[in-house]
Amino acid sequence: MTFESKKLPGDRISSLKKILDKKGNAIGLEAHSGLSGIVVEKSAFDFVWESSLTDSASKGLPDASIVSNESRLHTIEEILNVTTKPMIVDGDTGGDEDNFRFLVKRLENQGVSAVIVEDKIFPKRNSFGGTVGAGMEDPDIFSKKLSVGMETKSTSDFLIIARLESLIAGLGMKETMSRAEKYIDSGVDGIMIHSKLKTPDEIIEFIPKYEQLCSKIGRRPYLIAVPTTYNSISDKELIDLGVDIIIHANHLSRASFQSMLDTANLISESGRSLESDENIATVKELFAAVGYDKILERDSEKTTNISAIIASAGNQSDDEKPRSLVSISGKPLAHHQIETLRKVGIEDIVIIVNDLDKFKDIENSGAKLIESNFPEEKKLLHSIMSADKYLSEHTLITYGDILFNEKIVSSLISSNEDIVIAVDSSYRYHKHNVDKKLELVSYSEKKSPNNRRQLRMSELYEVSKLGKNLDLESAEAEFIGVAYFSPKGIKDLKESFSKMNKMGTSEGLLIDILNFMIKEGIKINSMEFDGGWIELHTKDDFKMAEEELNLEY
Ligand code: SPV
Ligand code: MG
């Protein structure tokens, strides 16, 4: 299970009792962290034991009332957050009556099913090192605390269990039975008998006496055992003897501590970590255990797959080399375009060329090459549309003879419109340099003169017309040669193309089909950019691009 596990606190509290009612017993394993809780959750054990020894040890601290209740509650929360099984909490001494009231309430609110408190005085010592008679609580004071806990709890589904430490403290069986009677009389739901002998002898001796005592009192609380030292006896044997709840109290901590030591030694001795691989979980297994793979799965469902078409079939440079292959700062133009597209996460890139052989080197970049040969006047549009099967999802179409930055691409693909073309309105200010016919754009609504001075990156304007023969003064901007189409935009593009063909039109530019689409009532938006791109036609253009790139790096 992971953080995605669903279990409301109320349902979890009652789940221990339900297991006991159904199966007659419950067997649990220790956890001291979210990750170890996940291990218990995956195992066949019925519940999680949240141990004071291992919670302290996991923090590098001794089990001697040093780790505070607040810290323990934090670990408990961490485990509950990633598990669904019931949890029994080791409540140590429970503190004084008020501390115990507080603890019972907090644990119930968290959805813990039971707390075990031991008849020792604060600050306690761990049962396997240091519990002596002097550390034992007066049984009457302890019984009073137990009844306070029983009065405090809000539901009978939450169990309060009294833990007998008298055998460990060397007070003998008689004192143990006397204490057991007082604790049962205080109304507790369970009695835990603890022993630190290597053999189960004390437990085997205690159980029939306990049954006898319960018959005398007329009420038999659950009986709990923790077979850590006397672990030659099996769970089944303990259950057959009369134990209801068995706790394997510290084994995951001991296992992980040993494994950490071994791995640390192995890596330092080997001078590398390869040798340790076979003894440790893979990162992938760890990812899966904590639910990270679910996050990745959802991420990939959310990611929009965008492909790019680079139209390079018609571009010849001055020296008859396709412009896409002309080098800028040591790399062909096509490589620069591919790099920019990859920077914004576009991996599926198709380049339409008129001679596959010339482009062989570009193939190493991972882009797909498609050869297309149409007469000059149809080349651009028809070659783009010949990549039909790549025009399905979100698609970016770009001319092959421009260099553009990733800001232009990322702004276009993150717009929520179906068709957006990138335009530059600064052409007016350098139009005296222009020696070729620009692809100009007019808007449906004229921008106010003030607006010209406040260009914003993501401002969209509806396009009314595109053309090489638009009046330079009345046009608003220049088409850069990069356009984004959503799946709906692509559908409109394809339908418009087939309509155009049926009509037998001879037009073959991208701006021609955009104009056709506008006439068909399809909305084309323009997004204005102020620079960030260069068109590469002449040797001078390439030289200028090289200079600009050098400035950038
Ligand atoms: C614990 O696990 O913290 C316990 C059980 O209290 S024992 O260590 O056996 O005392
Ligand atoms: Mg403990």
Side-chain angles (χ1 to χ4, degrees):
M1 221 24 87
T2 65
F3 66 95
E4 307 205 5
S5 58
K6 290 190 177 116
K7 193 84 171 179
L8 292 171
D11 296 338
R12 197 198 287 252
I13 293 183
S14 56
S15 61
L16 178 64
K17 253 189 157 178
K18 282 189 184 137
I19 292 171
L20 287 163
D21 288 347
K22 196 165 161 206
K23 186 159 93 96
N25 60 72
I27 306 173
L29 183 64
E30 162 264 338
H32 50 276
S33 63
L35 189 59
S36 56
I38 287 171
V39 172
V40 180
E41 180 80 11
K42 283 182 186 295
S43 73
F45 288 94
D46 298 311
F47 66 88
V48 179
W49 165 242
E50 206 283 331
S51 140
S52 68
L53 166 63
T54 68
D55 190 342
S56 308
S58 74
K59 293 167 175 63
L61 293 170
D63 181 22
S65 302
I66 287 167
V67 175
S68 71
N69 263 6
E70 277 306 319
S71 169
R72 294 286 308 283
L73 288 164
H74 188 275
T75 310
I76 291 164
E77 176 65 31
E78 185 180 307
I79 300 169
L80 292 177
N81 195 36
V82 293
T83 57
T84 59
K85 288 185 177 176
M87 176 188 281
I88 301 182
V89 164
D90 175 358
D92 282 340
T93 66
D96 71 3
E97 286 176 16
D98 279 317
N99 289 154
F100 193 40
R101 278 195 182 95
F102 161 86
L103 185 64
V104 167
K105 187 167 168 49
R106 288 287 291 266
L107 295 178
E108 277 190 315
N109 283 341
Q110 283 185 311
V112 168
S113 300
V115 63
I116 301 184
V117 277
E118 55 197 274
D119 52 355
K120 289 196 287 213
I121 50 174
F122 181 92
K124 65 103 204 227
R125 297 287 178 264
N126 180 267
S127 305
F128 299 129
T131 301
V132 288
M136 293 297 290
E137 180 61 284
D138 178 295
D140 292 319
I141 295 177
F142 189 64
S143 298
K144 177 73 201 330
K145 183 161 65 183
L146 294 172
S147 7
V148 164
M150 292 304 289
E151 281 158 22
T152 304
K153 69 179 192 169
S154 309
T155 166
S156 59
D157 287 332
F158 181 77
L159 309 180
I160 293 184
I161 298 165
R163 165 168 165 176
L164 288 159
E165 286 284 307
S166 39
L167 292 176
I168 287 181
L171 302 184
M173 193 58 79
K174 198 159 168 266
E175 169 68 13
T176 301
M177 295 318 299
S178 151
R179 283 174 177 251
E181 184 164 2
K182 287 182 177 169
Y183 304 162
I184 297 171
D185 282 344
S186 72
V188 289
D189 304 291
I191 294 288
M192 173 185 149
I193 179 67
H194 208 11
S195 166
K196 64 170 179 182
L197 292 189
K198 277 254 172 224
T199 61
D201 298 355
E202 282 179 335
I203 305 297
I204 292 171
E205 188 189 341
F206 174 82
I207 295 174
K209 291 188 183 346
Y210 178 71
E211 302 296 358
Q212 244 179 347
L213 178 64
C214 293
S215 306
K216 188 184 99 185
I217 297 172
R219 195 172 78 83
R220 186 194 180 279
Y222 295 116
L223 181 60
I224 293 93
V226 183
T228 305
T229 50
Y230 57 92
N231 60 357
S232 55
I233 193 163
S234 70
D235 293 347
K236 178 161 185 324
E237 285 169 311
L238 281 171
I239 288 162
D240 289 346
L241 284 168
V243 173
D244 304 294
I245 298 175
I246 297 171
I247 299 172
H248 294 287
N250 47 44
H251 300 82
L252 292 187
S253 291
R254 286 159 59 193
S256 55
F257 182 51
Q258 187 61 53
S259 177
M260 287 192 278
L261 285 173
D262 292 346
T263 304
N265 285 337
L266 188 57
I267 297 174
S268 90
E269 277 161 19
S270 313
R272 62 179 189 183
S273 65
L274 178 72
E275 284 70 13
S276 70
D277 280 356
E278 61 179 297
N279 302 323
I280 59 178
T282 61
V283 171
K284 211 167 155 222
E285 285 164 339
L286 206 54
F287 274 9
V290 299
Y292 188 61
D293 51 355
K294 288 261 162 48
I295 291 183
L296 296 183
E297 236 172 74
R298 282 196 290 266
D299 279 352
S300 71
E301 277 163 20
K302 269 186 257 164
T303 317
T304 321
N305 198 16
I306 300 172
S307 43
I309 308 279
I310 302 177
S312 292
N315 305 321
Q316 295 300 319
S317 65
D318 292 355
D319 54 5
E320 286 306 297
K321 194 178 192 180
R323 281 186 209 123
S324 295
L325 297 180
V326 177
S327 179
I328 306 169
S329 300
K331 266 186 292 191
L333 167 58
H335 266 178
H336 288 279
Q337 290 182 317
I338 291 166
E339 263 174 25
T340 305
L341 293 169
R342 294 239 159 98
K343 272 188 202 159
V344 293
I346 300 180
E347 291 296 330
D348 299 334
I349 302 169
V350 175
I351 310 182
I352 304 166
V353 302
N354 61 3
D355 188 348
L356 275 180
D357 283 345
K358 289 189 182 158
F359 278 80
K360 274 236 144 3
D361 286 350
I362 303 290
E363 222 159 15
N364 299 334
S365 67
K368 175 141 195 63
L369 297 184
I370 295 183
E371 195 174 60
S372 140
N373 284 298
F374 287 95
E376 198 54 45
E377 67 284 2
K378 285 185 163 187
K379 225 166 216 163
L380 182 61
L381 180 59
H382 286 250
S383 70
I384 290 170
M385 299 312 291
S386 71
D388 188 60
K389 69 174 175 169
Y390 300 98
L391 297 167
S392 58
E393 291 287 311
H394 302 261
T395 309
L396 189 94
I397 298 176
T398 167
Y399 293 171
D401 59 357
I402 52 170
L403 198 57
F404 45 83
N405 66 21
E406 63 255 37
K407 220 167 179 180
I408 292 180
V409 182
S410 64
S411 305
L412 284 184
I413 63 181
S414 51
S415 83
N416 289 322
E417 298 293 332
D418 290 319
I419 304 172
V420 191
I421 63 171
V423 302
D424 189 327
S425 59
S426 63
Y427 77 95
R428 291 164 187 282
Y429 311 109
H430 57 75
K431 64 177 188 284
H432 48 274
N433 291 333
V434 171
D435 59 354
K436 70 173 204 64
K437 288 222 159 215
L438 302 177
E439 294 190 332
L440 296 176
V441 183
S442 291
Y443 299 160
S444 301
E445 272 180 52
K446 280 238 152 289
K447 275 189 345 186
S448 76
N450 289 346
N451 214 358
R452 283 193 205 294
R453 300 207 144 263
Q454 304 162 359
L455 297 180
R456 282 186 207 104
M457 279 298 291
S458 57
E459 211 149 5
L460 291 177
Y461 299 95
E462 187 173 343
V463 176
S464 61
K465 198 169 172 45
L466 299 101
K468 292 192 176 190
N469 296 319
L470 295 191
D471 170 17
L472 272 183
E473 282 311 316
S474 63
E476 301 280 355
E478 175 188 3
F479 178 40
I480 291 174
V482 189
Y484 161 77
F485 295 80
S486 73
K488 156 112 186 23
I490 285 290
K491 188 168 164 275
D492 287 341
L493 179 74
K494 286 182 177 177
E495 281 171 10
S496 304
F497 184 64
S498 92
K499 270 192 196 169
M500 268 178 91
N501 279 340
K502 273 192 199 128
M503 287 164 64
T505 158
S506 60
E507 292 173 311
L509 297 175
L510 186 56
I511 57 168
D512 292 333
I513 194 163
L514 292 174
N515 272 331
F516 182 84
M517 290 168 88
I518 292 167
K519 280 194 201 123
E520 291 286 302
I522 297 165
K523 189 173 169 196
I524 312 283
N525 299 281
S526 72
M527 191 180 274
E528 286 196 346
F529 297 91
D530 193 6
W533 69 288
I534 310 174
E535 188 168 27
L536 299 147
H537 278 190
T538 62
K539 281 203 171 98
D540 284 348
D541 293 338
F542 278 91
K543 237 169 83 191
M544 195 162 83
E546 188 142 348
E547 278 162 21
E548 297 235 353
L549 275 183
N550 287 342
L551 278 182
E552 259 182 50
Y553 294 118

